Amino acid sequence: MPEQIDVRRMSAQDFAALGLFDIAFVKRVKSGGEASFEIHTADGKFVADAPSWDAAVTLIQENEMQAARIH
């Protein structure tokens, strides 16, 4: 069982890094009339672009992370 974390006692820096290596966010964007899906780390950094939601999720899962959607 993973160790439980009390987020109320975390530093701001540790809180910002929470989930950094576990979660990636997918955001649908339009560029030049074409839709694509950007992949961002938990701290908001852009890491990749995919042609579809499924392709983005596959890339994320291949890196042993969980995908979350940004609206």
Side-chain angles (χ1 to χ4, degrees):
M1 177 180 229
E3 180 183 340
Q4 289 190 352
I5 299 170
D6 184 353
V7 295
R8 297 171 293 183
R9 297 174 192 242
M10 294 177 76
S11 70
Q13 183 178 6
D14 288 342
F15 185 75
L18 191 63
L20 189 58
F21 301 105
D22 300 316
I23 300 168
F25 295 95
V26 181
K27 179 180 180 182
R28 184 177 186 266
V29 294
K30 277 195 166 188
S31 178
E34 297 277 328
S36 65
F37 294 80
E38 292 181 347
I39 301 171
H40 296 263
T41 58
D43 64 353
K45 292 180 184 163
F46 172 82
V47 291
D49 192 35
S52 69
W53 166 260
D54 291 336
V57 171
T58 298
L59 285 170
I60 292 167
Q61 290 174 341
E62 286 175 352
N63 287 282
E64 299 180 3
M65 300 175 81
Q66 295 294 315
R69 185 182 306 254
I70 298 176
H71 296 279

